[in-house]
Amino acid sequence: MMNSNTLSKAEQENLLLKKNAILCLVLGLFFAIDSTNEVWAWELSGGWALLYLPVVLLFFYMIYLLFSVSKFSRGAAKRAFWTGGFDDEYAEFLNVRGYKFGFGIGFIGLITLSLFADLMLTDGIPALMSVALWAQFLAALMLIGYALPVLYGLAKDNE
């Protein structure tokens, strides 16, 4: 792996954007898998324990990526790490595009939550998901909604 000091600023920002998008994807998958626990009533016995193996692996990979992004951000612009502002135009375009997709998914999810909140909170109808798990699943969708357009744009740029 190349040292971050030998890369140009645009390459550093693209690499930081890629690592950040992968971190968001892994975190989103972790939240999505974890939030479905109550819905499908998984138990840690028997074959269902194998379904928690990806959750554990995603958790450790997420910790690794978190340290990797924070370590790599020292070489990149601090503005790009903290505020998401990039000097490279294409990295800025992909970052804004990812935020737009994540916001759109979050907005649709919140509208859906508000429409079905009465059904989830009534005592007579058993709720499929609690509001807390719905919020966790919505956060997962927003993180994945940010990561996929960014990763797609970076992969398309490499072709």
Side-chain angles (χ1 to χ4, degrees):
M1 182 177 211
M2 297 183 74
N3 189 1
S4 63
N5 295 332
T6 62
L7 298 174
S8 70
K9 188 168 185 166
E11 291 172 332
Q12 286 180 352
E13 288 182 347
N14 282 341
L15 194 56
L16 178 63
L17 184 63
K18 180 180 178 181
K19 286 181 180 275
N20 191 26
I22 291 173
L23 176 64
C24 286
L25 181 66
V26 168
L27 187 61
L29 289 174
F30 175 77
F31 283 152
I33 292 171
D34 190 46
S35 68
T36 59
N37 177 24
E38 187 176 309
V39 175
W40 289 326
W42 292 354
E43 294 182 20
L44 287 178
S45 61
W48 292 110
L50 292 176
L51 292 175
Y52 273 98
L53 183 62
V55 173
V56 172
L57 293 176
L58 283 173
F59 177 75
F60 286 119
Y61 189 56
M62 178 181 59
I63 298 295
Y64 165 75
L65 283 172
L66 189 62
F67 284 120
S68 175
V69 167
S70 65
K71 180 181 141 189
F72 182 76
S73 67
R74 294 180 200 144
K78 294 199 183 305
R79 190 183 103 191
F81 180 71
W82 290 109
T83 63
F86 292 94
D87 292 332
D88 183 41
E89 293 173 1
Y90 190 66
E92 180 70 24
F93 166 74
L94 288 178
N95 192 39
V96 169
R97 186 176 183 195
Y99 279 132
K100 285 180 181 180
F101 273 87
F103 175 79
I105 289 172
F107 184 73
I108 291 170
L110 285 175
I111 294 296
T112 305
L113 175 65
S114 69
L115 291 175
F116 294 110
D118 292 337
L119 291 176
M120 289 192 290
L121 298 177
T122 59
D123 293 331
I125 301 171
L128 180 63
M129 287 177 75
S130 68
V131 176
L133 283 180
W134 183 263
Q136 185 179 0
F137 188 68
L138 183 59
L141 289 178
M142 290 173 69
L143 287 166
I144 293 170
Y146 168 79
L148 289 180
V150 171
L151 290 173
Y152 177 74
L154 287 172
K156 191 173 159 184
D157 184 42
N158 287 337
E159 289 179 356

